[in-house]
Amino acid sequence: TPFTEKGRYALAGVLLDVRPDKAFLVAADGAHLAVNRIDVREIQKPGKYIILPETLKALKSIEGDLTIKVNSKENIIEFTGTNGRVVSRLIDAVFPDYEKVIPEFVEKIIIDKDLL
């Protein structure tokens, strides 16, 4: 399984997977996986960064669009909005390859999510 003990520390955080043309937030706990595509306007350098969940909670108080800066040498990430900024350490680990655990679905069912 891709979620080995070695990857457990990484699973304590949320992966920010920045690609040349898009970005994703990925969270997993070994039994569940959530992948959310996030809108980005400009990407200068793709990369993968594991963010502490508490950092994401702190971002709720930041207004406006976020500018994200990463200092890989210091293992720090900074989020800046119109009313302030949040600076945090990154988790120094390798997040498991989440794309390998997403199965191929051959059947599709559409339901009203309010019924769940």
Side-chain angles (χ1 to χ4, degrees), residues 6-108:
K6 196 175 187 181
R8 294 278 179 207
Y9 182 62
L11 293 178
V14 177
L15 176 68
L16 173 60
D17 183 2
V18 181
R19 300 187 183 181
D21 59 342
K22 57 191 166 193
F24 298 92
L25 283 175
V26 183
D29 65 5
H32 306 92
L33 175 69
V35 180
N36 291 314
R37 183 177 176 158
I38 55 176
D39 293 327
V40 292
R41 291 199 182 124
E42 177 185 344
I43 297 173
Q44 294 179 355
K45 184 179 178 188
K48 293 185 178 186
Y49 313 100
I50 305 174
I51 303 167
L52 293 164
E54 295 81 9
T55 302
L56 292 178
K57 289 177 188 172
L59 291 178
K60 291 181 181 183
S61 65
I62 302 296
E63 297 174 2
D65 291 342
L66 292 174
T67 298
I68 302 171
K69 296 179 183 176
V70 177
N71 181 329
S72 297
K73 290 179 184 175
E74 298 292 328
N75 211 29
I76 294 174
I77 192 164
E78 175 186 273
F79 299 87
T80 305
T82 56
N83 67 330
R85 69 182 184 164
V86 173
V87 180
S88 176
R89 288 223 173 264
L90 293 165
I91 294 177
D92 187 15
V94 177
F95 201 88
D97 188 351
Y98 64 94
E99 292 179 305
K100 285 186 178 180
V101 299
I102 299 174
E104 292 293 325
F105 294 99
V106 292
E107 296 181 29
K108 181 178 179 179

